[in-house]
Amino acid sequence: MENKKRIYTFGNGKAEGKTEMKNLLGGKGANLAEMNLIGVPVPPGFTITTEVCTEYNKYGRDAIVNVLYDEVKAGIENIENLMNTKFGSEENPCLVSVRSGARVSMPGMMDTVLNLGLNDKVVEGLAKKSNNPRFAWDSYRRFVQMYGDVVLDMKPKNKDDIDPFEEILERIKEEKGVKEDTELELEDLKKLVKEFKKAIKENTKKEFPECPWEQLWGAVMAVFDSWNTDRAKYYRQMNKIPEEWGTAVNVQAMVYGNMGQNSATGVAFTRDAATGEDIFNGEYLINAQGEDVVAGIRTPQQITLEGSKRWAKLAGVSEEERKKNFPSLEEAMPSAYKELSDLETKLENHYSDMQDLEFTVQDGKLWFLQTRVGKRTGAAMVKMAVDMLEEGMIDEKTALLRVEPKKLDELLHPVFEKKALSSAKVMAKGLPASPGAATGKIIFFSDEAEAWKEDGEDIILVRIETSPEDLKGMNLAEGILTARGGMTSHAAVVARGMGKCCVSGAGEIKIDYKKRTLTMDGKVYRQGDWISLNGSTGEIYNGKVATVDPELGGDFEKLMKLSDKYSKMYVRTNADTPEDSRVARKFGAKGIGLCRTEHMFFGGDKIKAIREMILASDLEGRKKALDKLLPIQRQDFEGIFKEMHDLPVTVRLLDPPLHEFVPHESASQKEMADEMGISIQEIELKVKLLKEFNPMLGTRGCRLGNLYPEITQMQTRAIIEAALNLKKQGIKAIPEIMIPLVGEMKEFKMQEEIVRDTAELIFKERNDKIDYLVGTMMEIPRATLTADKVASVAEFFSFGTNDLTQMTYGLSRDDTAALIEEYVKKGIYKNDPFQVLDQDGVGQLVEIGTKRGRSARNNLKVGVCGEHGGEPESVKFCHKIGLDYVSCSPFRIPIARLSAAQAAIEQE
Ligand code: ADP
Ligand code: MG
Ligand code: MG
C-alpha cells in the first residue's frame, strides 16, 4: 500500500483536519476537528480516513493493522498526553470511544463502541481513581454489551430476536424489582458484567478480550465492517450514496456523563427543526451516557426552562413535579447550561446553519461530541433560509440553495396532524402519485360520490384504475386510491392537476367491486369504512387520521420572489379549468403551457356530446355533435382565458386515444343509444370497431384532426371566438394553438392550414382579429429528429415528455408501473423515467429537437410540458439546454420556480 497520511489528530484547540475535509474524514471527524479549531471543548482523539475503509475492503484486516500500526499508536499517545492518562493502565486508565462517521450522515446505520479499554483490572483502577465504583462498573457493563453487540456480532439480526444482553439486564432488574438502569447498585453491575461475559462465551465460543489493544483493533475493524452490513447497503441504495465512499473511524477520549448527579448527556438543536423558529431546544439526562437520551429507556428532560415548561404542559406534568423530577438543564446545571447556550450560538454562526449537537457534562464540565447540519421539515427549511438571509447570516444565493425544491411540496397540501399520524397504522403502500394527505370513507363508484357528499361525508374514491367516467367522483373525493397505473396514469395526472391527494398503483391491495370490499394486509374494508392516504409517500393508513391545512406564510412568498430574481427560465402551468388556472396564478404561473381540451369534456353532459361525436357514423352526425360541443368549449376557453388574461395559453387540440371516451358499460351504452336515437347494438358495434390493440399508438392526436378536419375546425372556432368575445370586454387573451402528436412535418402543415383558414374566416365574420400562434407538441422521436423541418412551419415547440418517454423507451405509461419499480430495484433503471427525465436518452432528443428547431427558426419558443416540468432534476436539465420555460401542474409551480433559480445559480 502506498505511503500516505491515514490518520488526522485533534485535541486541545489543535487539529490536522477541518470541515472542508469531509470526504476524507467523514462528517463527524471533519467537524470534531473544526470544533477544536474554533475553541469548542472536544475530547481529544484522531480520525482514520475514509480511504482506509476502501483499503480495508480490498486488502483485509491484517494488512490494515500493519499499515496503521505506528500512526494509531502515535494517535493514542497524543490522547494520553492531552488527557494525562494511559491506555491500558490499571492506575490511571485512558478509555476511548470508537465511532463511525461517513461523508454524509447515515443515522442509526453504523456502529459506535464506548468505554473501550476496560477489563477486570482496569475497572478497579477507574473505580479507585474516580472514587466512584458504581460509575466504573456502569461503564464496564455498557462496554461489554456494546463490544459484544458490535464487534462480536451478537446484535440481533432481525426485529423479532432479542439482544441477549438486554435479556439479562431485564432479568436482573426484575429480580431486583427496579425499573431503571440508574437504580442498579454496584453488586448488580458486577453481576451484569459477569453474565454478559458468560453470554459472549456461549455465543461466540471465545473469551471476551481483556487486552485493550486487541479491543481497539477489533472495534476499528468492526466500524469498517458496519459499512457493509445489509442495512447500511440498503440505506445507501435508497439515498444514492456510492459504495466506494467508505466510513471514517474516530477514536476519541471518553468523557463521562454517567459519573453521578453532576454529570449528564444530551442532544440539542440550535433552532426548532419542525417549525424553523429560532428557539434553542433539546433533551438531556442526568447520570447517563451516549444514546440513553434517544434510546427511550428514561424520560428525557428538556434543556431550556421554557422548553421544559412547554413539555410539562403537553405531558400533563405539574410544575411541582416538573421541578422535582424533570428539571431543565438550565435549572439543574446553570453554569454548564450557560456555556452550552453560548457555544450553540457560536457554532450556528460559524457554520451559518442550524446545528444538531451532542454534548456531555462530566462532573460539571461541558464537552461537545458532535455537530452537524440538522435535518428539518419543509416548513422549517423555508423559514430558516429566509430568517438567516434577513439576519445577514447567509446571502441570497445560499438561501435559495438551502431549500430542497421537493420539500416545498410539504407546504402546499393538507398534512396529517402530527399526533394523529404517530399512532396511525400503515396497511399498504402505492406510488406517491399526487401529494397531500387525505382521510375519508371508502367508496368504489364515482356516480355514487355525489350522494355521499350531499350527506356531508368525506370520501376516498377507491378504484382498480380510473377513467374519464370517474372524473366527477375524483373531483368530489378527498383523495383517490388505485390498485393499477403508474405516476402518469389517468388517476395520477388528473389528481395532480386538481391538487388532490392520490396514491396509485398500490399492487398489494385487492378491490372487489361486486362485494364492494378493499383488502389490505389481510384486513377487509367495506364501503363506508375510513382510510387515509399520504400522497407524498404513497402510504395507506387504517382508519381516520386527522389532517390540517398548510399555512403559506410570507416567508414562502419571499423565497418565490427571490427565485424569480435568479432564474432564467419561467414557469407555466398545466391547467384545464378556470379553477386550476386561478390556483396556478396564485403560485406564480406565467401562463398555461398545456391546456388539454379533452379534459374539458370529462364532466357530466359534456362527455355525452363528445361520445356522440365519436360514435357518429358519418360527417353529418359528427357535425351535429360538434355543434353541440362548440358552445361548451367556447365557454370553457372564455373561463380559462379570463383567468389567464394577458398571459399566453397553450391549447392543445383533441388528443386522446378514442377508447378512453367511448362507453364500455352497458348502462352508459344504453344512455348513448337513447340520446342518439339508435339501437344499443349499433353502439356496441361501433365501440368494437373503435377498439385498437395499441390505442396509445393509434388514431389519436393530429391524426384525428387530419382524418376529421371538422374537429379541428370546431376547436379552432371555439378558441378564436372565445378570445374575440373577451377582447370586446377589454380582456386580452393570448392563445397558442398546439397540434399534438406530430411525427411528420406534413401532418402539422395540414392541421396548421385548417387552423389558419378557420381563424381567417372568423376574423372576416367578426371584422376583428387577435394575435395567436400555431405550434406543436413534440412527443414522437421522429419529430425531434426532423425538428428543423417541423420548425419551418411551427411557431413553438412544447416537448410532451410523457409520451416522448413512452415512445423512446417503448414503455407503456399505463401498464408498466410494477415493471419499472422492479427495474429500479434491480438497478437497471436509475429512476422511473416517467418521474425523472432520462437525460441521457429522452433528454438528448429534447436537446437535439431544440437545436434543430432553432436552426430553422431562431426565435422558436421552446418549453416542456410533461410531468417532468415539476421535477427538480429535470427542470435543471431544461435550464441547461436553454429552454424558455417549463410547465407543470399548479401545485408543482413553486418547486419548478425554485429549481430553475438553483439551476441558474449552480451554473454561474
Ligand atoms: P451516532 O453516529 O450513531 O450518533 P456516535 O459516534 O455519535 O454515534 O456516538 C453515539 C453516542 O455516544 C453519542 O451520544 C455520542 O455523543 C456518544 N459518544 C461518542 N463518543 C463519546 C466519547 N468519547 N465520550 C462520551 N460520549 C461519547
Ligand atoms: Mg452521533
Ligand atoms: Mg401526448
Side-chain angles (χ1 to χ4, degrees):
M1 262 172 278
E2 67 187 294
N3 202 356
K4 65 177 172 192
K5 189 167 172 62
R6 289 183 170 82
I7 284 183
Y8 290 72
T9 61
F10 56 83
N12 216 13
K14 291 203 185 79
E16 294 177 314
K18 56 182 175 182
T19 294
E20 289 73 27
M21 291 164 70
K22 273 203 180 96
N23 291 356
L24 191 62
L25 303 180
K28 199 179 284 168
N31 285 333
L32 284 170
E34 185 85 3
M35 282 197 285
N36 266 286
L37 295 176
I38 62 170
V40 173
V42 171
F46 57 86
T47 304
I48 306 173
T49 66
T50 53
E51 290 173 356
V52 180
C53 183
T54 310
E55 290 175 329
Y56 169 80
N57 289 333
K58 206 162 156 194
Y59 301 109
R61 176 186 170 120
D62 293 347
I64 292 302
V65 174
N66 215 5
V67 74
L68 282 182
Y69 192 83
D70 291 338
E71 274 185 284
V72 167
K73 223 162 152 247
I76 291 286
E77 265 163 30
N78 184 46
I79 297 176
E80 290 172 338
N81 292 337
L82 293 174
M83 294 301 279
N84 203 11
T85 52
K86 197 124 190 74
F87 191 60
S89 155
E90 288 164 25
E91 283 84 42
N92 182 23
C94 166
L95 304 191
V96 296
S97 64
V98 178
R99 321 171 62 186
S100 57
R103 276 193 214 185
V104 291
S105 115
M106 295 169 57
M109 285 303 120
M110 290 187 306
D111 293 324
T112 287
V113 179
L114 302 182
N115 307 321
L116 187 140
L118 281 170
N119 58 30
D120 288 347
K121 292 202 178 104
V122 173
V123 71
E124 295 297 353
L126 187 66
K128 216 192 267 152
K129 186 192 159 201
S130 63
N131 202 15
N132 188 344
R134 191 195 175 281
F135 146 71
W137 282 89
D138 183 53
S139 304
Y140 195 19
R141 64 101 186 169
R142 287 170 186 271
F143 171 53
V144 178
Q145 170 168 2
M146 272 194 252
Y147 201 87
D149 275 340
V150 172
V151 183
L152 305 176
D153 204 25
M154 285 168 64
K155 197 174 353 204
K157 295 286 180 289
N158 62 54
K159 60 174 189 279
D160 301 326
D161 290 350
I162 304 165
D163 181 326
F165 302 111
E166 288 301 324
E167 210 171 4
I168 296 169
L169 181 61
E170 282 314 307
R171 199 186 70 230
I172 289 189
K173 281 203 284 194
E174 205 169 293
E175 279 168 17
K176 176 134 179 125
V178 301
K179 276 214 209 87
E180 306 213 331
D181 299 359
T182 43
E183 293 173 278
L184 294 172
E185 288 167 304
L186 180 60
E187 289 315 308
D188 308 318
L189 297 168
K190 286 188 172 171
K191 192 163 154 200
L192 271 179
V193 169
K194 215 165 159 186
E195 299 222 9
F196 281 179
K197 286 188 171 178
K198 213 168 91 194
I200 288 178
K201 181 80 197 281
E202 272 164 21
N203 264 273
T204 67
K205 314 280 175 253
K206 274 189 234 138
E207 298 290 342
F208 170 80
E210 298 278 324
C211 166
W213 283 100
E214 188 185 338
Q215 293 170 359
L216 180 61
W217 287 114
V220 169
M221 302 306 155
V223 170
F224 285 149
D225 284 331
S226 70
W227 179 255
N228 289 320
T229 57
D230 288 343
R231 60 185 172 147
K233 278 187 184 152
Y234 184 72
Y235 184 90
R236 286 200 290 276
Q237 245 168 34
M238 298 237 321
N239 294 282
K240 315 228 177 306
I241 300 171
E243 290 288 312
E244 62 277 7
W245 278 7
T247 179
V249 182
N250 301 287
V251 178
Q252 190 176 20
M254 282 303 300
V255 288
Y256 308 102
N258 59 336
M259 250 188 178
Q261 294 305 306
N262 201 21
S263 298
T265 183
V267 295
F269 296 89
T270 62
R271 297 190 186 207
D272 190 317
T275 66
E277 288 167 290
D278 189 0
I279 299 175
F280 177 49
N281 65 96
E283 296 180 330
Y284 82 108
L285 277 176
I286 291 175
N287 196 13
Q289 194 177 51
E291 313 261 70
D292 287 4
V293 178
V294 282
I297 39 178
R298 276 155 65 193
T299 309
Q301 291 155 236
Q302 300 298 308
I303 288 178
T304 65
L305 177 56
E306 200 190 327
S308 180
K309 287 192 165 156
R310 205 183 316 145
W311 166 82
K313 214 166 153 193
L314 284 172
V317 170
S318 74
E319 175 63 9
E320 205 179 328
E321 195 195 342
R322 184 195 71 76
K323 263 190 167 150
K324 183 162 163 273
N325 292 330
F326 305 102
S328 64
L329 185 74
E330 194 170 350
E331 295 158 286
M333 302 180 181
S335 80
Y337 171 78
K338 172 81 180 51
E339 199 187 348
L340 178 67
S341 121
D342 289 347
L343 288 173
E344 68 92 9
T345 312
K346 180 174 186 161
L347 282 166
E348 182 178 284
N349 287 334
H350 180 72
Y351 287 99
S352 317
D353 203 350
M354 187 265 274
Q355 297 294 298
D356 166 353
L357 311 165
E358 288 174 6
F359 65 92
T360 285
V361 180
Q362 175 180 329
D363 212 10
K365 167 147 182 48
L366 175 70
W367 297 93
F368 275 77
L369 289 154
Q370 194 167 336
T371 189
R372 64 182 158 205
V373 171
K375 296 225 181 330
R376 61 203 73 178
T377 64
M381 192 170 266
V382 171
K383 179 163 174 52
M384 284 181 201
V386 173
D387 281 355
M388 288 178 184
L389 171 65
E390 287 174 354
E391 288 161 24
M393 189 185 272
I394 54 178
D395 62 15
E396 292 180 342
K397 291 178 191 170
T398 310
L400 286 169
L401 293 175
R402 276 282 166 85
V403 181
E404 268 173 66
K406 265 194 195 134
K407 283 213 142 197
L408 289 180
D409 230 20
E410 290 174 24
L411 276 71
L412 305 174
H413 297 274
V415 288
F416 286 121
E417 214 182 80
K418 252 192 224 114
K419 231 171 127 197
L421 192 63
S422 64
S423 55
K425 182 164 185 243
V426 177
M427 301 301 290
K429 244 188 124 179
L431 296 169
S434 179
T439 189
K441 293 184 170 176
I442 297 171
I443 68 159
F444 296 98
F445 298 96
S446 291
D447 51 2
E448 294 168 11
E450 207 156 14
W452 285 82
K453 283 307 273 190
E454 271 166 14
D455 293 342
E457 303 284 5
D458 285 340
I459 48 175
I460 303 273
L461 179 65
V462 178
R463 300 284 305 165
I464 294 176
E465 58 194 340
T466 62
S467 72
E469 284 172 84
D470 292 314
L471 202 87
K472 196 164 185 191
M474 294 172 77
N475 201 14
L476 291 171
E478 303 303 308
I480 299 135
L481 169 62
T482 67
R484 277 216 290 265
M487 293 292 289
T488 55
S489 63
H490 178 265
V493 174
V494 173
R496 274 199 294 275
M498 293 175 169
K500 188 155 296 212
C501 164
C502 173
V503 173
S504 70
E508 347 157 13
I509 67 171
K510 283 210 176 59
I511 295 169
D512 188 329
Y513 286 142
K514 266 213 187 103
K515 290 198 191 127
R516 300 192 176 217
T517 57
L518 157 71
T519 310
M520 303 189 279
D521 198 17
K523 183 170 165 163
V524 181
Y525 293 78
R526 288 172 202 292
Q527 176 167 297
D529 289 348
W530 284 88
I531 55 166
S532 303
L533 307 176
N534 186 341
S536 314
T537 62
E539 277 158 331
I540 307 161
Y541 295 96
N542 179 44
K544 182 174 179 171
V545 184
T547 62
V548 287
D549 264 344
E551 281 170 38
L552 286 185
D555 289 335
F556 178 80
E557 272 309 314
K558 284 179 195 162
L559 186 81
M560 285 298 109
K561 281 223 176 74
L562 197 58
S563 299
D564 294 348
K565 179 172 167 188
Y566 287 92
S567 57
K568 304 268 190 296
M569 283 191 305
Y570 59 97
V571 179
R572 290 193 187 186
T573 192
N574 300 349
D576 312 330
T577 63
E579 294 82 68
D580 282 357
S581 312
R582 198 172 312 132
V583 175
R585 255 199 129 132
K586 202 178 78 198
F587 286 140
K590 294 280 190 302
I592 290 182
L594 176 61
C595 173
R596 287 163 289 213
T597 49
E598 63 277 8
H599 281 217
M600 298 166 76
F601 296 131
F602 283 165
D605 279 347
K606 300 184 191 173
I607 191 139
K608 273 197 220 152
I610 188 119
R611 280 178 174 168
E612 195 179 323
M613 190 267 295
I614 294 167
L615 296 169
S617 48
D618 54 13
L619 177 64
E620 204 182 319
R622 259 193 314 280
K623 279 210 163 137
K624 202 175 115 214
L626 286 168
D627 285 346
K628 286 189 199 167
L629 284 169
L630 174 66
I632 302 176
Q633 282 239 293
R634 192 171 48 216
Q635 199 184 352
D636 282 342
F637 288 134
E638 278 181 31
I640 291 173
F641 290 162
K642 212 172 189 169
E643 286 298 337
M644 278 290 159
H645 61 88
D646 300 304
L647 294 176
V649 175
T650 304
V651 180
R652 179 182 69 186
L653 300 186
L654 203 62
D655 173 53
L658 291 181
H659 78 292
E660 271 194 23
F661 281 101
V662 293
H664 294 287
E665 284 155 28
S666 56
S668 27
Q669 290 186 349
K670 167 106 182 31
E671 192 185 30
M672 282 317 295
D674 294 346
E675 181 83 19
M676 297 169 69
I678 52 177
S679 71
I680 188 161
Q681 285 78 14
E682 257 178 279
I683 300 277
E684 275 170 9
L685 181 67
K686 188 79 197 185
V687 170
K688 256 190 210 138
L689 285 175
L690 279 173
K691 185 176 153 60
E692 294 174 310
F693 284 105
N694 267 325
M696 277 295 193
L697 302 175
T699 311
R700 55 179 289 222
C702 67
R703 299 162 193 171
L704 270 176
N706 281 330
L707 293 183
Y708 310 113
E710 56 278 10
I711 300 178
T712 307
Q713 281 161 0
M714 183 282 285
Q715 290 204 293
T716 306
R717 185 168 277 277
I719 295 166
I720 299 289
E721 287 185 353
L724 286 168
N725 289 352
L726 291 180
K727 187 179 172 191
K728 275 220 179 97
Q729 302 170 31
I731 298 168
K732 184 172 185 185
I734 312 175
E736 299 180 345
I737 298 175
M738 179 155 78
I739 315 295
L741 222 77
V742 165
E744 155 63 51
M745 183 267 273
K746 283 186 191 137
E747 277 183 303
F748 177 86
K749 189 91 189 79
M750 192 174 276
Q751 285 290 289
E752 189 223 13
E753 276 163 15
I754 299 170
V755 170
R756 295 215 186 270
D757 291 350
T758 310
E760 280 312 313
L761 191 68
I762 302 168
F763 293 159
K764 266 199 204 114
E765 285 168 15
R766 298 256 182 144
N767 199 19
D768 194 1
K769 57 197 258 186
I770 48 133
D771 291 329
Y772 68 97
L773 300 179
V774 188
T776 183
M777 189 137 170
M778 300 290 275
E779 46 196 339
I780 293 185
R782 189 177 189 283
T784 67
L785 297 173
T786 57
D788 45 344
K789 292 203 183 74
V790 180
S792 69
V793 277
E795 292 174 305
F796 65 86
F797 283 178
S798 174
F799 284 90
T801 48
N802 293 346
D803 266 314
L804 190 59
T805 299
Q806 167 166 272
M807 298 198 205
T808 304
Y809 269 90
L811 267 182
S812 163
R813 271 154 76 175
D814 295 319
D815 305 313
T816 51
L819 169 86
I820 292 174
E821 198 187 319
E822 207 46 38
Y823 261 39
V824 171
K825 246 192 229 148
K826 289 196 151 86
I828 300 173
Y829 291 167
K830 198 164 144 224
N831 295 295
D832 176 346
F834 291 108
Q835 289 179 48
V836 182
L837 184 75
D838 158 48
Q839 299 183 9
D840 293 345
V842 181
Q844 216 186 116
L845 288 175
V846 177
E847 193 174 3
I848 291 170
T850 304
K851 272 203 191 119
R852 293 191 184 162
R854 283 186 178 149
S855 74
R857 185 188 292 267
N858 57 21
N859 66 345
L860 184 77
K861 186 156 49 167
V862 185
V864 151
C865 67
E867 288 304 313
H868 304 105
E871 194 284 317
E873 287 314 307
S874 315
V875 172
K876 289 181 182 179
F877 176 78
C878 293
H879 164 90
K880 229 173 54 199
I881 60 171
L883 299 198
D884 298 300
Y885 70 89
V886 294
S887 185
C888 56
S889 46
F891 286 86
R892 287 172 122 180
I893 293 168
I895 298 173
R897 283 166 80 188
L898 177 63
S899 305
Q902 291 186 345
I905 295 169
E906 281 162 9
Q907 208 184 32
E908 274 175 15

